[in-house]
């Protein structure tokens, strides 16, 4: 693995490195870890990268790596830069024959995302988008229960992602808050691009439905902030189900309280990221059931994505690790010409990234319109 971004002081790059390393199949071999050349060098040294593979910009890294012998060069690149620095490195990496792991939201615009999709199709390479929450084992179990028709036809989806860390104007002193609230670096949305997109992905992933219409009420609470920091969205799904998606970065006191409830004709379910190893199943005519990660009774899909016996907590880093493991295994199998199981292929790809950008563009359009209800395209 090579990495773009994620050097000293960055948030998610370190999580990616820990996650990629957990199963012992992926090794960081090179990086262009910071936009500042000196900090990029310093960051590479801190990670003990070989001097000749610490690059001061991603262009140099992609070109130099592509000239190395096949067995030495990176197999794929992980792009963990702010949103505005996703598109160019992703296109360049694909052009030079490298698979890609790309952070969400995939790009600044839907148009850029579609160009990446076209490039993925042309090259036949794999591009994975880091929709982390869909990789938790109990989320996989929830998807399995819906697929097995244990809930019956889905009627309602309620998903919420409240955070409180942007309750004040902290962007002047904190880099990762500064770019997130700058339209030229984050994209047209703030809170929805940062966390609402995760909630939408989770709703579609577990329910197996597609959001077809959106009615969005977006708001900026912190005076002087340039992008929305709060929003509530009414949803309609392609089977007629209704839904509510609420996301906020000014919900004072909240941490990462992502929670989803899905209700069908026969039963409901509930999953909460802050108690990630528990899934509550609520049948209409029977007592509630609590599914726990690591137990033998879970579906093959959930079991495939867990490493420890029940009661030993796995969390956020392991969810990322599931994405890496499935992504890397699928590439190796493709290379060896061997078959890959459905469990392995169950990781977010370029189509999830496109879906995320369709969601965001529709949210913004609806948020700005007086008519409010706005159709979401089906890719
Ligand atoms: N999947 C998730 O759960 C999750 C969580 C957090 C962040 N993210 C996403 O990850 C991305 C990064 O977020 P973050 O919080 O780590 O940001 P950050 O500001 O902490 O780190 C970004 C790093 O990228 C570097 N960078 C910027 N441009 C570069 C370039 N051209 N070349 C090399 N390095 C460059 C910066 O120097 C910085 O070190 C964003 O797209 C964000 O939406 C996803």
């Amino acid at each position: 693995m090579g990495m773009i971004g994620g050097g000293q002081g960055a948030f998610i790059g370190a999580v990616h490195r820990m996650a990629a390393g957990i199963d012992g199949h992926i090794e960081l071999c090179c990086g262009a870890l910071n936009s500042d050349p000196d900090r990029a060098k310093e960051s590479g040294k801190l990670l003990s990268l070989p001097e000749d593979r610490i690059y001061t910009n991603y262009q140099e890294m992609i070109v130099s790596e592509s000239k190395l012998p096949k067995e030495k060069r990176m197999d794929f690149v992980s792009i963990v830069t702010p949103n505005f620095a996703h598109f160019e490195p992703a296109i360049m990496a694909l052009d030079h024959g490298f698979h890609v792991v790309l952070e969400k939201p995939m790009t600044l615009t839907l148009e850029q995302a579609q160009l990446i999709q076209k490039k993925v199709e042309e090259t036949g390479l794999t591009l994975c988008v880091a929709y982390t929450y869909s990789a938790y084992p109990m989320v996989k179990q929830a998807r399995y229960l819906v697929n097995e028709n244990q809930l019956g036809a889905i009627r309602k989806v309620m998903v919420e992602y409240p955070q409180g860390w942007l309750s004040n104007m902290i962007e002047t002193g904190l880099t990762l808050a500064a770019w997130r609230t700058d339209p030229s670096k984050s994209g047209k949305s703030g809170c929805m691009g940062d966390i609402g997109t995760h909630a939408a992905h989770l709703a579609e992933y577990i329910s197996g439905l597609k959001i077809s219409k959106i009615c969005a009420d977006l708001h900026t609470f912190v005076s002087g902030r340039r992008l929305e920091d709060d929003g509530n969205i009414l949803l309609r799904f392609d089977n007629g189900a209704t839904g509510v998606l609420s996301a906020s970065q000014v919900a004072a006191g909240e941490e990462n309280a992502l929670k989803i409830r899905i209700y069908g004709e026969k039963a409901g379910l509930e999953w909460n990221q802050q108690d990630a190893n528990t899934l509550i199943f609520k049948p209409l005519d029977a007592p509630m059931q609590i599914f726990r990660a690591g137990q033998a009774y879970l579906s093959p899909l959930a079991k495939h994505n867990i490493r420890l016996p029940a009661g030993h907590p796995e969390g956020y880093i392991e969810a990322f690790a599931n994405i890496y493991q499935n992504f890397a295994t699928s590439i190796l199998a493709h290379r060896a010409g061997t078959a890959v199981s459905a469990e392995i292929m169950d990781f977010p790809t370029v189509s999830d990234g496109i879906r995320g950008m369709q969601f965001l563009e529709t949210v913004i359009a609806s948020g700005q319109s007086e008519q409010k209800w706005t159709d979401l395209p089906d890719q």
Side-chain angles (χ1 to χ4, degrees):
M1 170 170 92
M3 182 167 271
I4 301 174
Q8 251 181 317
F11 167 37
I12 211 65
V15 175
H16 279 252
R17 287 192 297 274
M18 287 186 269
I22 281 183
D23 295 304
H25 300 145
I26 299 169
E27 185 190 350
L28 184 73
C29 60
C30 60
L33 299 163
N34 199 288
S35 47
D36 173 77
D38 291 336
R39 294 194 68 195
K41 275 192 194 155
E42 187 59 31
S43 300
K45 276 187 201 156
L46 282 171
L47 292 172
S48 306
L49 287 176
E51 205 132 315
D52 58 342
R53 294 177 83 184
I54 301 174
Y55 300 99
T56 50
N57 61 71
Y58 73 81
Q59 292 91 339
E60 184 198 356
M61 172 167 125
I62 291 170
V63 171
S64 304
E65 288 290 314
S66 69
K67 290 181 182 156
L68 291 176
K70 254 195 170 151
E71 64 283 2
K72 192 172 179 206
R73 74 173 79 137
M74 64 177 178
D75 289 314
F76 73 93
V77 63
S78 194
I79 302 173
V80 290
T81 48
N83 308 349
F84 75 95
H86 288 179
F87 175 69
E88 277 91 2
I91 290 283
M92 189 173 174
L94 291 165
D95 268 335
H96 285 76
F98 296 113
H99 304 280
V100 174
V101 174
L102 184 55
E103 260 305 346
K104 50 49 59 183
M106 192 155 90
T107 43
L108 291 184
T109 63
L110 176 59
E111 198 186 350
Q112 286 182 336
Q114 285 164 335
L115 290 171
I116 291 183
Q117 185 180 44
K118 198 163 162 248
K119 191 64 77 182
V120 167
E121 283 163 5
E122 277 165 20
T123 57
L125 294 161
T126 302
L127 183 135
C128 167
V129 180
Y131 278 110
T132 323
Y133 303 99
S134 62
Y136 277 98
M138 301 319 282
V139 167
K140 305 267 183 192
Q141 181 69 15
R143 178 177 166 94
Y144 168 82
L145 293 177
V146 172
N147 269 345
E148 290 290 295
N149 199 31
Q150 304 257 350
L151 278 73
I154 304 297
R155 289 175 164 166
K156 189 170 184 79
V157 178
M158 297 166 76
V159 61
E160 60 187 69
Y161 197 158
Q163 295 180 332
W165 71 292
L166 288 177
S167 289
N168 293 312
M169 178 58 104
I170 57 168
E171 40 265 51
T172 38
L174 187 64
T175 319
L176 87 174
W179 70 254
R180 277 176 168 81
T181 51
D182 176 347
S184 69
K185 299 200 162 116
S186 186
K188 289 179 218 157
S189 79
C191 173
M192 286 298 158
D194 206 29
I195 56 175
T197 182
H198 277 301
H201 186 260
L202 197 62
E204 290 197 341
Y205 176 77
I206 298 178
S207 70
L209 302 175
K210 281 195 163 179
I211 300 167
S212 55
K213 272 182 194 295
I214 275 175
C215 172
D217 180 24
L218 305 179
H219 198 70
T220 308
F221 277 100
V222 174
S223 168
R225 181 163 286 157
R226 287 177 287 171
L227 290 169
E228 95 284 353
D229 50 25
D230 179 85
N232 299 308
I233 303 176
L234 296 179
L235 306 169
R236 290 274 172 78
F237 289 86
D238 56 354
N239 75 333
T242 63
V244 184
L245 186 158
S246 177
S248 183
Q249 296 183 303
V250 295
E254 292 292 1
E255 295 171 341
N256 281 282
L258 171 63
K259 177 173 162 181
I260 186 161
R261 284 169 286 172
I262 300 188
Y263 301 97
E265 288 173 342
K266 301 193 289 190
L269 58 76
E270 177 175 332
W271 180 78
N272 175 352
Q273 206 253 158
Q274 295 183 150
D275 182 13
N277 292 309
T278 299
L279 173 69
I280 306 174
F281 179 65
K282 306 173 180 182
L284 183 61
D285 298 320
M288 275 188 211
Q289 287 177 24
I290 293 180
F291 289 85
R292 291 278 298 157
Q295 292 287 1
Y297 54 66
L298 294 176
S299 63
L301 183 60
K303 282 201 262 191
H304 172 75
N305 288 282
I306 192 146
R307 295 166 182 78
L308 295 173
H312 294 309
E314 293 194 19
Y316 187 61
I317 294 172
E318 287 86 349
F320 263 100
N322 293 337
I323 291 182
Y324 270 98
Q325 178 71 348
N326 290 329
F327 163 79
T329 309
S330 78
I331 290 171
L332 289 176
H334 186 71
R335 199 179 282 171
T338 52
V340 207
S341 68
E343 286 87 11
I344 290 169
M345 289 312 291
D346 189 41
F347 64 89
T349 63
V350 67
S351 56
D352 299 80
I354 291 275
R355 199 68 200 137
M357 294 312 299
Q358 287 173 331
F359 168 76
L360 288 177
E361 299 231 333
T362 314
V363 165
I364 298 304
S366 168
Q368 290 169 350
S369 96
E370 285 304 314
Q371 185 201 328
K372 287 295 172 198
W373 278 108
T374 309
D375 290 342
L376 192 108
D378 186 1
Q379 62 186 343

